[in-house]
Amino acid sequence: MRAIVVDDEYLMTHKFARLTADFDDFEIVGEFDNSEEALEYVEENPVEAAFLDIEMPGLNGIELARRLRESREDILIVFITAYEDYISDANEVNSDYYILKPYTRETLENVMEKLRLLSARQKKDIYIQTFGRFVVRKGGIPVKLTGKAKEILALVVTRRGKEISNEEIYSTIWEGRPYSNACMSVYYNALRRLKNSLRKAGIEKILVSTVRGQTVNTELFDCDYYLWKDKKANPGNLFEGEFMSEYSWGEYILATLLQEDQGSESDKDKEL
């Protein structure tokens, strides 16, 4: 894990470097007493974690954390401070940990263990694309999904972990066809094909069947739609006016996205 340390007191950065010198898979790639220099470094170099003091001249640690997250959304943020007063501020910028000075090597070991877990969760192997056409990738390679089986997964993904009943899936995808037990057999055949395809790709656990319907385990994959809704999208994930363009039911979600996108642009204009 590549990390930077930002503190305007040299003794503090020196202490941190000394206590973490022999930590496995951990490297301090930058020590800074100036927030602007730290921010510039992160914008130009790969950094996975930032350990920040809060009370510093100029750009304080809270604002620096906010700017770092804007530059690199997945960076892990740990505040190291002598004051408890900033815990609520740290929560507002979604910091990953808060350490009070003075701290011990044992404290840092515990923090590092938690950061390793967080970092592992961030590096998900499965990525689902909804902007434009629907694509599921594992390790960057598209998973082979076709026809109604693929469309079932696409629809379930839009619910973001909420259950959708089998009846609703059928009536949405097979729009216009009457609902009956005989017709539902068509749906269950497509669902079976979907599960077989996911199993072959080694990602069967993303789809969860319940008593009434289907849902997805959102902990197992990243999705551009989710990232955009949470305002965590990288430039490459930004919404550009298309959402699951191959499915007619996607137009209803697209209309909502367009409204949200216009609202976000209006808010930006007001800030300017």
Side-chain angles (χ1 to χ4, degrees):
M1 183 180 298
R2 296 167 57 87
I4 62 168
V5 185
V6 187
D7 195 317
D8 61 329
E9 296 183 41
Y10 168 75
L11 291 178
M12 291 296 100
T13 56
H14 180 71
K15 175 185 177 180
F16 183 90
R18 176 172 54 82
L19 292 180
T20 60
D22 60 348
F23 280 10
D24 293 336
D25 63 23
F26 181 76
E27 178 187 7
I28 298 176
V29 294
E31 298 178 23
F32 302 93
D33 59 9
N34 180 289
S35 293
E36 295 289 353
E37 291 179 0
L39 180 61
E40 183 178 343
Y41 181 86
V42 171
E43 289 175 344
E44 298 177 356
N45 298 276
V47 176
E48 297 167 279
F51 294 80
L52 313 176
D53 186 22
I54 293 181
E55 290 198 349
M56 295 185 291
L59 197 66
N60 68 28
I62 299 295
E63 184 57 31
L64 173 58
R66 186 175 288 110
R67 298 271 295 276
L68 288 173
R69 279 273 165 78
E70 290 174 357
S71 174
R72 195 177 296 276
E73 67 179 28
D74 59 348
I75 192 169
L76 298 170
I77 301 291
V78 179
F79 289 114
I80 304 180
T81 178
Y83 307 98
E84 295 183 356
D85 306 2
Y86 297 102
I87 291 179
S88 61
D89 295 313
N91 289 336
E92 286 185 9
V93 295
N94 295 318
S95 68
D96 298 291
Y97 218 84
Y98 195 98
I99 300 175
L100 285 174
K101 299 175 182 177
Y103 53 85
T104 64
R105 175 186 167 86
E106 183 179 3
T107 298
L108 295 179
E109 287 176 341
N110 291 335
V111 172
M112 282 304 305
E113 186 61 31
K114 291 179 173 62
L115 293 184
R116 290 187 186 100
L117 290 173
L118 286 172
S119 180
R121 288 173 187 168
Q122 288 178 345
K123 296 176 181 177
K124 297 173 183 174
D125 196 37
I126 305 168
Y127 185 84
I128 296 181
Q129 172 188 312
T130 64
F131 294 156
R133 299 182 67 82
F134 180 71
V135 182
V136 179
R137 292 185 175 88
K138 180 184 179 184
I141 301 173
V143 174
K144 187 176 181 180
L145 299 170
T146 60
K148 296 299 184 183
K150 179 180 180 181
E151 190 172 356
I152 289 171
L153 181 60
L155 180 59
V156 179
V157 164
T158 66
R159 299 304 174 93
R160 197 174 180 176
K162 293 182 179 179
E163 181 189 61
I164 176 171
S165 71
N166 293 315
E167 291 79 5
E168 184 177 352
I169 296 173
Y170 174 80
S171 61
T172 301
I173 295 179
W174 282 269
E175 185 178 5
R177 292 193 184 182
Y179 171 76
S180 67
N181 290 333
C183 290
M184 282 297 288
S185 66
V186 176
Y187 160 70
Y188 284 116
N189 284 334
L191 181 63
R192 193 176 302 111
R193 292 197 303 274
L194 170 60
K195 291 182 177 181
N196 287 337
S197 295
L198 295 178
R199 191 177 300 111
K200 287 180 181 178
I203 60 172
E204 66 273 15
K205 291 184 179 180
I206 68 171
L207 182 68
V208 180
S209 293
T210 65
V211 175
R212 295 183 61 254
Q214 311 299 320
T215 183
V216 287
N217 186 344
T218 59
E219 295 295 317
L220 299 181
F221 62 88
D222 283 324
C223 175
D224 54 2
Y225 176 49
Y226 302 170
L227 293 170
W228 189 85
K229 292 284 285 185
D230 290 341
K231 303 187 187 306
K232 294 180 180 178
N234 283 321
N237 297 327
L238 291 176
F239 173 59
E240 295 183 349
E242 292 188 351
F243 180 83
M244 294 196 186
S245 54
E246 64 265 60
Y247 305 128
S248 59
W249 49 261
E251 294 176 3
Y252 299 100
I253 301 174
L254 174 61
T256 301
L257 291 174
L258 289 171
Q259 288 180 347
E260 292 183 23
D261 191 43
Q262 290 172 357
S264 298
E265 291 300 323
S266 297
D267 291 340
K268 289 178 183 178
D269 292 339
K270 290 178 182 178
E271 291 176 2
L272 295 174

